[in-house]
PDB file of all heavy atoms in Angstrom:
ATOM      1  N   SER A1300       1.343 -47.784 -99.177  1.00 89.00           N
ATOM      2  CA  SER A1300       2.413 -46.777 -99.123  1.00 89.00           C
ATOM      3  C   SER A1300       3.082 -46.743 -97.757  1.00 89.00           C
ATOM      4  O   SER A1300       4.301 -46.541 -97.655  1.00 89.00           O
ATOM      5  CB  SER A1300       1.853 -45.390 -99.468  1.00 89.00           C
ATOM      6  OG  SER A1300       0.859 -44.986 -98.535  1.00 89.00           O
ATOM      7  N   LYS A1301       2.302 -46.943 -96.687  1.00 84.00           N
ATOM      8  CA  LYS A1301       2.886 -46.936 -95.346  1.00 84.00           C
ATOM      9  C   LYS A1301       3.825 -48.121 -95.139  1.00 84.00           C
ATOM     10  O   LYS A1301       4.872 -48.001 -94.495  1.00 84.00           O
ATOM     11  CB  LYS A1301       1.770 -46.965 -94.292  1.00 84.00           C
ATOM     12  CG  LYS A1301       1.193 -45.591 -93.980  1.00 84.00           C
ATOM     13  CD  LYS A1301       2.252 -44.688 -93.383  1.00 84.00           C
ATOM     14  CE  LYS A1301       1.713 -43.301 -93.098  1.00 84.00           C
ATOM     15  NZ  LYS A1301       2.767 -42.411 -92.574  1.00 84.00           N
ATOM     16  N   VAL A1302       3.454 -49.280 -95.685  1.00 85.00           N
ATOM     17  CA  VAL A1302       4.309 -50.466 -95.562  1.00 85.00           C
ATOM     18  C   VAL A1302       5.638 -50.233 -96.296  1.00 85.00           C
ATOM     19  O   VAL A1302       6.710 -50.605 -95.804  1.00 85.00           O
ATOM     20  CB  VAL A1302       3.583 -51.709 -96.121  1.00 85.00           C
ATOM     21  CG1 VAL A1302       4.537 -52.906 -96.189  1.00 85.00           C
ATOM     22  CG2 VAL A1302       2.381 -52.063 -95.252  1.00 85.00           C
ATOM     23  N   LEU A1303       5.568 -49.597 -97.455  1.00 86.00           N
ATOM     24  CA  LEU A1303       6.783 -49.342 -98.234  1.00 86.00           C
ATOM     25  C   LEU A1303       7.698 -48.319 -97.566  1.00 86.00           C
ATOM     26  O   LEU A1303       8.904 -48.287 -97.835  1.00 86.00           O
ATOM     27  CB  LEU A1303       6.414 -48.857 -99.641  1.00 86.00           C
ATOM     28  CG  LEU A1303       5.702 -49.860-100.546  1.00 86.00           C
ATOM     29  CD1 LEU A1303       5.349 -49.229-101.878  1.00 86.00           C
ATOM     30  CD2 LEU A1303       6.561 -51.103-100.766  1.00 86.00           C
ATOM     31  N   GLU A1304       7.150 -47.467 -96.700  1.00 80.00           N
ATOM     32  CA  GLU A1304       7.955 -46.456 -96.012  1.00 80.00           C
ATOM     33  C   GLU A1304       8.838 -47.057 -94.922  1.00 80.00           C
ATOM     34  O   GLU A1304       9.834 -46.454 -94.530  1.00 80.00           O
ATOM     35  CB  GLU A1304       7.048 -45.392 -95.380  1.00 80.00           C
ATOM     36  CG  GLU A1304       6.505 -44.378 -96.373  1.00 80.00           C
ATOM     37  CD  GLU A1304       5.647 -43.337 -95.693  1.00 80.00           C
ATOM     38  OE1 GLU A1304       5.553 -43.364 -94.446  1.00 80.00           O
ATOM     39  OE2 GLU A1304       5.065 -42.492 -96.392  1.00 80.00           O
ATOM     40  N   ILE A1305       8.468 -48.224 -94.418  1.00 75.00           N
ATOM     41  CA  ILE A1305       9.204 -48.825 -93.301  1.00 75.00           C
ATOM     42  C   ILE A1305      10.606 -49.231 -93.756  1.00 75.00           C
ATOM     43  O   ILE A1305      10.768 -49.893 -94.782  1.00 75.00           O
ATOM     44  CB  ILE A1305       8.460 -50.064 -92.759  1.00 75.00           C
ATOM     45  CG1 ILE A1305       7.049 -49.679 -92.311  1.00 75.00           C
ATOM     46  CG2 ILE A1305       9.219 -50.680 -91.591  1.00 75.00           C
ATOM     47  CD1 ILE A1305       6.188 -50.869 -92.000  1.00 75.00           C
ATOM     48  N   VAL A1306      11.593 -48.852 -92.994  1.00 67.00           N
ATOM     49  CA  VAL A1306      12.973 -49.199 -93.319  1.00 67.00           C
ATOM     50  C   VAL A1306      13.212 -50.682 -93.060  1.00 67.00           C
ATOM     51  O   VAL A1306      13.694 -51.412 -93.912  1.00 67.00           O
ATOM     52  CB  VAL A1306      13.964 -48.342 -92.502  1.00 67.00           C
ATOM     53  CG1 VAL A1306      15.402 -48.753 -92.806  1.00 67.00           C
ATOM     54  CG2 VAL A1306      13.754 -46.860 -92.796  1.00 67.00           C
ATOM     55  N   SER A1307      12.860 -51.138 -91.851  1.00 65.00           N
ATOM     56  CA  SER A1307      13.068 -52.540 -91.496  1.00 65.00           C
ATOM     57  C   SER A1307      12.083 -52.956 -90.402  1.00 65.00           C
ATOM     58  O   SER A1307      12.098 -52.394 -89.309  1.00 65.00           O
ATOM     59  CB  SER A1307      14.505 -52.766 -91.020  1.00 65.00           C
ATOM     60  OG  SER A1307      14.651 -54.057 -90.466  1.00 65.00           O
ATOM     61  N   PHE A1308      11.236 -53.932 -90.718  1.00 65.00           N
ATOM     62  CA  PHE A1308      10.298 -54.445 -89.722  1.00 65.00           C
ATOM     63  C   PHE A1308      11.042 -55.087 -88.560  1.00 65.00           C
ATOM     64  O   PHE A1308      10.703 -54.902 -87.391  1.00 65.00           O
ATOM     65  CB  PHE A1308       9.381 -55.503 -90.367  1.00 65.00           C
ATOM     66  CG  PHE A1308       8.087 -54.941 -90.872  1.00 65.00           C
ATOM     67  CD1 PHE A1308       7.836 -54.860 -92.227  1.00 65.00           C
ATOM     68  CD2 PHE A1308       7.122 -54.496 -89.985  1.00 65.00           C
ATOM     69  CE1 PHE A1308       6.655 -54.347 -92.698  1.00 65.00           C
ATOM     70  CE2 PHE A1308       5.926 -53.979 -90.449  1.00 65.00           C
ATOM     71  CZ  PHE A1308       5.688 -53.903 -91.806  1.00 65.00           C
ATOM     72  N   THR A1309      12.082 -55.861 -88.877  1.00 65.00           N
ATOM     73  CA  THR A1309      12.826 -56.594 -87.846  1.00 65.00           C
ATOM     74  C   THR A1309      13.465 -55.640 -86.852  1.00 65.00           C
ATOM     75  O   THR A1309      13.369 -55.811 -85.632  1.00 65.00           O
ATOM     76  CB  THR A1309      13.916 -57.471 -88.492  1.00 65.00           C
ATOM     77  OG1 THR A1309      13.323 -58.299 -89.483  1.00 65.00           O
ATOM     78  CG2 THR A1309      14.609 -58.323 -87.446  1.00 65.00           C
ATOM     79  N   GLU A1310      14.134 -54.602 -87.381  1.00 59.00           N
ATOM     80  CA  GLU A1310      14.800 -53.633 -86.503  1.00 59.00           C
ATOM     81  C   GLU A1310      13.780 -52.868 -85.662  1.00 59.00           C
ATOM     82  O   GLU A1310      13.970 -52.634 -84.471  1.00 59.00           O
ATOM     83  CB  GLU A1310      15.613 -52.663 -87.355  1.00 59.00           C
ATOM     84  CG  GLU A1310      16.385 -51.632 -86.537  1.00 59.00           C
ATOM     85  CD  GLU A1310      17.167 -50.674 -87.424  1.00 59.00           C
ATOM     86  OE1 GLU A1310      17.326 -50.958 -88.623  1.00 59.00           O
ATOM     87  OE2 GLU A1310      17.612 -49.642 -86.897  1.00 59.00           O
ATOM     88  N   MET A1311      12.654 -52.489 -86.315  1.00 60.00           N
ATOM     89  CA  MET A1311      11.626 -51.711 -85.628  1.00 60.00           C
ATOM     90  C   MET A1311      11.035 -52.495 -84.455  1.00 60.00           C
ATOM     91  O   MET A1311      10.966 -52.004 -83.328  1.00 60.00           O
ATOM     92  CB  MET A1311      10.509 -51.345 -86.617  1.00 60.00           C
ATOM     93  CG  MET A1311       9.354 -50.582 -86.012  1.00 60.00           C
ATOM     94  SD  MET A1311       8.018 -50.298 -87.213  1.00 60.00           S
ATOM     95  CE  MET A1311       7.273 -51.931 -87.268  1.00 60.00           C
ATOM     96  N   VAL A1312      10.634 -53.734 -84.718  1.00 64.00           N
ATOM     97  CA  VAL A1312      10.010 -54.548 -83.671  1.00 64.00           C
ATOM     98  C   VAL A1312      11.048 -55.034 -82.674  1.00 64.00           C
ATOM     99  O   VAL A1312      10.769 -55.171 -81.479  1.00 64.00           O
ATOM    100  CB  VAL A1312       9.246 -55.739 -84.308  1.00 64.00           C
ATOM    101  CG1 VAL A1312       8.667 -56.638 -83.237  1.00 64.00           C
ATOM    102  CG2 VAL A1312       8.142 -55.228 -85.227  1.00 64.00           C
ATOM    103  N   GLY A1313      12.277 -55.270 -83.153  1.00 66.00           N
ATOM    104  CA  GLY A1313      13.323 -55.765 -82.258  1.00 66.00           C
ATOM    105  C   GLY A1313      13.662 -54.772 -81.162  1.00 66.00           C
ATOM    106  O   GLY A1313      13.788 -55.138 -79.997  1.00 66.00           O
ATOM    107  N   GLN A1314      13.789 -53.497 -81.511  1.00 64.00           N
ATOM    108  CA  GLN A1314      14.178 -52.487 -80.529  1.00 64.00           C
ATOM    109  C   GLN A1314      13.022 -52.114 -79.601  1.00 64.00           C
ATOM    110  O   GLN A1314      13.227 -51.875 -78.412  1.00 64.00           O
ATOM    111  CB  GLN A1314      14.679 -51.237 -81.254  1.00 64.00           C
ATOM    112  CG  GLN A1314      16.039 -51.401 -81.910  1.00 64.00           C
ATOM    113  CD  GLN A1314      16.518 -50.097 -82.513  1.00 64.00           C
ATOM    114  OE1 GLN A1314      15.732 -49.256 -82.935  1.00 64.00           O
ATOM    115  NE2 GLN A1314      17.830 -49.929 -82.558  1.00 64.00           N
ATOM    116  N   LEU A1315      11.830 -52.037 -80.152  1.00 79.00           N
ATOM    117  CA  LEU A1315      10.691 -51.553 -79.376  1.00 79.00           C
ATOM    118  C   LEU A1315       9.618 -52.627 -79.212  1.00 79.00           C
ATOM    119  O   LEU A1315       8.448 -52.317 -79.036  1.00 79.00           O
ATOM    120  CB  LEU A1315      10.087 -50.315 -80.063  1.00 79.00           C
ATOM    121  CG  LEU A1315      11.006 -49.098 -80.149  1.00 79.00           C
ATOM    122  CD1 LEU A1315      10.462 -48.082 -81.147  1.00 79.00           C
ATOM    123  CD2 LEU A1315      11.156 -48.445 -78.786  1.00 79.00           C
ATOM    124  N   GLY A1316      10.056 -53.877 -79.282  1.00 83.00           N
ATOM    125  CA  GLY A1316       9.101 -54.992 -79.244  1.00 83.00           C
ATOM    126  C   GLY A1316       8.234 -55.013 -78.002  1.00 83.00           C
ATOM    127  O   GLY A1316       7.002 -55.139 -78.098  1.00 83.00           O
ATOM    128  N   MET A1317       8.835 -54.895 -76.813  1.00 87.00           N
ATOM    129  CA  MET A1317       8.065 -54.979 -75.573  1.00 87.00           C
ATOM    130  C   MET A1317       7.120 -53.778 -75.417  1.00 87.00           C
ATOM    131  O   MET A1317       6.009 -53.914 -74.905  1.00 87.00           O
ATOM    132  CB  MET A1317       9.001 -55.073 -74.365  1.00 87.00           C
ATOM    133  CG  MET A1317       9.715 -56.405 -74.244  1.00 87.00           C
ATOM    134  SD  MET A1317       8.577 -57.825 -74.268  1.00 87.00           S
ATOM    135  CE  MET A1317       7.585 -57.505 -72.802  1.00 87.00           C
ATOM    136  N   TYR A1318       7.585 -52.618 -75.865  1.00 88.00           N
ATOM    137  CA  TYR A1318       6.709 -51.434 -75.837  1.00 88.00           C
ATOM    138  C   TYR A1318       5.522 -51.635 -76.763  1.00 88.00           C
ATOM    139  O   TYR A1318       4.376 -51.362 -76.394  1.00 88.00           O
ATOM    140  CB  TYR A1318       7.519 -50.202 -76.249  1.00 88.00           C
ATOM    141  CG  TYR A1318       6.668 -49.003 -76.617  1.00 88.00           C
ATOM    142  CD1 TYR A1318       5.991 -48.278 -75.650  1.00 88.00           C
ATOM    143  CD2 TYR A1318       6.542 -48.601 -77.949  1.00 88.00           C
ATOM    144  CE1 TYR A1318       5.207 -47.182 -75.994  1.00 88.00           C
ATOM    145  CE2 TYR A1318       5.768 -47.505 -78.295  1.00 88.00           C
ATOM    146  CZ  TYR A1318       5.105 -46.803 -77.315  1.00 88.00           C
ATOM    147  OH  TYR A1318       4.319 -45.729 -77.662  1.00 88.00           O
ATOM    148  N   PHE A1319       5.795 -52.132 -77.967  1.00 89.00           N
ATOM    149  CA  PHE A1319       4.737 -52.384 -78.956  1.00 89.00           C
ATOM    150  C   PHE A1319       3.728 -53.383 -78.415  1.00 89.00           C
ATOM    151  O   PHE A1319       2.508 -53.181 -78.504  1.00 89.00           O
ATOM    152  CB  PHE A1319       5.369 -52.899 -80.250  1.00 89.00           C
ATOM    153  CG  PHE A1319       4.390 -53.127 -81.365  1.00 89.00           C
ATOM    154  CD1 PHE A1319       4.058 -52.106 -82.231  1.00 89.00           C
ATOM    155  CD2 PHE A1319       3.804 -54.370 -81.555  1.00 89.00           C
ATOM    156  CE1 PHE A1319       3.160 -52.309 -83.276  1.00 89.00           C
ATOM    157  CE2 PHE A1319       2.905 -54.589 -82.576  1.00 89.00           C
ATOM    158  CZ  PHE A1319       2.577 -53.557 -83.444  1.00 89.00           C
ATOM    159  N   ILE A1320       4.233 -54.462 -77.826  1.00 90.00           N
ATOM    160  CA  ILE A1320       3.350 -55.508 -77.281  1.00 90.00           C
ATOM    161  C   ILE A1320       2.511 -54.951 -76.131  1.00 90.00           C
ATOM    162  O   ILE A1320       1.315 -55.257 -76.011  1.00 90.00           O
ATOM    163  CB  ILE A1320       4.195 -56.720 -76.805  1.00 90.00           C
ATOM    164  CG1 ILE A1320       4.796 -57.444 -78.011  1.00 90.00           C
ATOM    165  CG2 ILE A1320       3.351 -57.685 -75.972  1.00 90.00           C
ATOM    166  CD1 ILE A1320       5.814 -58.502 -77.645  1.00 90.00           C
ATOM    167  N   THR A1321       3.110 -54.123 -75.282  1.00 92.00           N
ATOM    168  CA  THR A1321       2.387 -53.559 -74.135  1.00 92.00           C
ATOM    169  C   THR A1321       1.229 -52.684 -74.595  1.00 92.00           C
ATOM    170  O   THR A1321       0.108 -52.786 -74.090  1.00 92.00           O
ATOM    171  CB  THR A1321       3.334 -52.741 -73.238  1.00 92.00           C
ATOM    172  OG1 THR A1321       4.430 -53.561 -72.820  1.00 92.00           O
ATOM    173  CG2 THR A1321       2.604 -52.222 -72.001  1.00 92.00           C
ATOM    174  N   VAL A1322       1.494 -51.796 -75.573  1.00 92.00           N
ATOM    175  CA  VAL A1322       0.430 -50.924 -76.081  1.00 92.00           C
ATOM    176  C   VAL A1322      -0.660 -51.740 -76.763  1.00 92.00           C
ATOM    177  O   VAL A1322      -1.856 -51.519 -76.540  1.00 92.00           O
ATOM    178  CB  VAL A1322       1.003 -49.876 -77.058  1.00 92.00           C
ATOM    179  CG1 VAL A1322      -0.123 -49.041 -77.666  1.00 92.00           C
ATOM    180  CG2 VAL A1322       1.992 -48.960 -76.355  1.00 92.00           C
ATOM    181  N   MET A1323      -0.261 -52.713 -77.591  1.00 93.00           N
ATOM    182  CA  MET A1323      -1.240 -53.544 -78.301  1.00 93.00           C
ATOM    183  C   MET A1323      -2.097 -54.346 -77.317  1.00 93.00           C
ATOM    184  O   MET A1323      -3.318 -54.476 -77.501  1.00 93.00           O
ATOM    185  CB  MET A1323      -0.534 -54.493 -79.259  1.00 93.00           C
ATOM    186  CG  MET A1323      -0.046 -53.829 -80.537  1.00 93.00           C
ATOM    187  SD  MET A1323      -1.403 -53.109 -81.509  1.00 93.00           S
ATOM    188  CE  MET A1323      -2.403 -54.555 -81.810  1.00 93.00           C
ATOM    189  N   LEU A1324      -1.450 -54.880 -76.272  1.00 94.00           N
ATOM    190  CA  LEU A1324      -2.188 -55.629 -75.263  1.00 94.00           C
ATOM    191  C   LEU A1324      -3.209 -54.734 -74.570  1.00 94.00           C
ATOM    192  O   LEU A1324      -4.362 -55.124 -74.345  1.00 94.00           O
ATOM    193  CB  LEU A1324      -1.208 -56.223 -74.238  1.00 94.00           C
ATOM    194  CG  LEU A1324      -1.812 -57.097 -73.123  1.00 94.00           C
ATOM    195  CD1 LEU A1324      -2.492 -58.324 -73.718  1.00 94.00           C
ATOM    196  CD2 LEU A1324      -0.724 -57.518 -72.131  1.00 94.00           C
ATOM    197  N   GLY A1325      -2.784 -53.517 -74.250  1.00 95.00           N
ATOM    198  CA  GLY A1325      -3.704 -52.567 -73.617  1.00 95.00           C
ATOM    199  C   GLY A1325      -4.882 -52.222 -74.511  1.00 95.00           C
ATOM    200  O   GLY A1325      -6.028 -52.168 -74.053  1.00 95.00           O
ATOM    201  N   LEU A1326      -4.617 -51.986 -75.806  1.00 95.00           N
ATOM    202  CA  LEU A1326      -5.690 -51.649 -76.742  1.00 95.00           C
ATOM    203  C   LEU A1326      -6.680 -52.804 -76.893  1.00 95.00           C
ATOM    204  O   LEU A1326      -7.897 -52.594 -76.946  1.00 95.00           O
ATOM    205  CB  LEU A1326      -5.100 -51.279 -78.106  1.00 95.00           C
ATOM    206  CG  LEU A1326      -4.270 -49.988 -78.164  1.00 95.00           C
ATOM    207  CD1 LEU A1326      -3.645 -49.816 -79.544  1.00 95.00           C
ATOM    208  CD2 LEU A1326      -5.133 -48.770 -77.824  1.00 95.00           C
ATOM    209  N   LEU A1327      -6.156 -54.024 -76.961  1.00 95.00           N
ATOM    210  CA  LEU A1327      -7.033 -55.190 -77.110  1.00 95.00           C
ATOM    211  C   LEU A1327      -7.882 -55.408 -75.867  1.00 95.00           C
ATOM    212  O   LEU A1327      -9.092 -55.678 -75.956  1.00 95.00           O
ATOM    213  CB  LEU A1327      -6.197 -56.441 -77.401  1.00 95.00           C
ATOM    214  CG  LEU A1327      -5.593 -56.541 -78.804  1.00 95.00           C
ATOM    215  CD1 LEU A1327      -4.647 -57.737 -78.909  1.00 95.00           C
ATOM    216  CD2 LEU A1327      -6.698 -56.646 -79.852  1.00 95.00           C
ATOM    217  N   ILE A1328      -7.264 -55.296 -74.697  1.00 95.00           N
ATOM    218  CA  ILE A1328      -8.016 -55.482 -73.445  1.00 95.00           C
ATOM    219  C   ILE A1328      -9.083 -54.401 -73.312  1.00 95.00           C
ATOM    220  O   ILE A1328     -10.229 -54.676 -72.936  1.00 95.00           O
ATOM    221  CB  ILE A1328      -7.066 -55.452 -72.229  1.00 95.00           C
ATOM    222  CG1 ILE A1328      -6.157 -56.682 -72.242  1.00 95.00           C
ATOM    223  CG2 ILE A1328      -7.867 -55.411 -70.921  1.00 95.00           C
ATOM    224  CD1 ILE A1328      -5.098 -56.670 -71.156  1.00 95.00           C
ATOM    225  N   HIS A1329      -8.717 -53.157 -73.647  1.00 95.00           N
ATOM    226  CA  HIS A1329      -9.682 -52.064 -73.529  1.00 95.00           C
ATOM    227  C   HIS A1329     -10.812 -52.202 -74.544  1.00 95.00           C
ATOM    228  O   HIS A1329     -11.990 -52.060 -74.201  1.00 95.00           O
ATOM    229  CB  HIS A1329      -8.970 -50.724 -73.728  1.00 95.00           C
ATOM    230  CG  HIS A1329      -9.859 -49.543 -73.515  1.00 95.00           C
ATOM    231  ND1 HIS A1329     -10.349 -49.186 -72.280  1.00 95.00           N
ATOM    232  CD2 HIS A1329     -10.373 -48.623 -74.392  1.00 95.00           C
ATOM    233  CE1 HIS A1329     -11.118 -48.116 -72.396  1.00 95.00           C
ATOM    234  NE2 HIS A1329     -11.147 -47.764 -73.669  1.00 95.00           N
ATOM    235  N   GLY A1330     -10.432 -52.502 -75.809  1.00 94.00           N
ATOM    236  CA  GLY A1330     -11.442 -52.574 -76.861  1.00 94.00           C
ATOM    237  C   GLY A1330     -12.355 -53.765 -76.770  1.00 94.00           C
ATOM    238  O   GLY A1330     -13.556 -53.669 -77.067  1.00 94.00           O
ATOM    239  N   LEU A1331     -11.819 -54.919 -76.349  1.00 93.00           N
ATOM    240  CA  LEU A1331     -12.619 -56.144 -76.317  1.00 93.00           C
ATOM    241  C   LEU A1331     -12.988 -56.578 -74.905  1.00 93.00           C
ATOM    242  O   LEU A1331     -13.674 -57.581 -74.731  1.00 93.00           O
ATOM    243  CB  LEU A1331     -11.858 -57.270 -77.026  1.00 93.00           C
ATOM    244  CG  LEU A1331     -11.525 -57.013 -78.503  1.00 93.00           C
ATOM    245  CD1 LEU A1331     -10.720 -58.168 -79.080  1.00 93.00           C
ATOM    246  CD2 LEU A1331     -12.792 -56.775 -79.319  1.00 93.00           C
TER     247      LEU A1331
END
């Protein structure tokens, strides 16, 4: 249901791509 709620993956990642990558990188470094 959450995947179906997304309007556009491309637009979402395109606008906030670097922010998304920064948070994900931080979570991976912290968790692993």
Side-chain angles (χ1 to χ4, degrees):
S1300 62
K1301 276 297 178 183
V1302 172
L1303 294 178
E1304 282 181 5
I1305 302 170
V1306 178
S1307 170
F1308 266 110
T1309 306
E1310 182 181 346
M1311 178 184 76
V1312 177
Q1314 288 184 330
L1315 297 165
M1317 288 307 298
Y1318 164 72
F1319 183 88
I1320 290 171
T1321 304
V1322 176
M1323 283 299 301
L1324 182 62
L1326 293 175
L1327 287 173
I1328 292 174
H1329 185 69
L1331 300 178

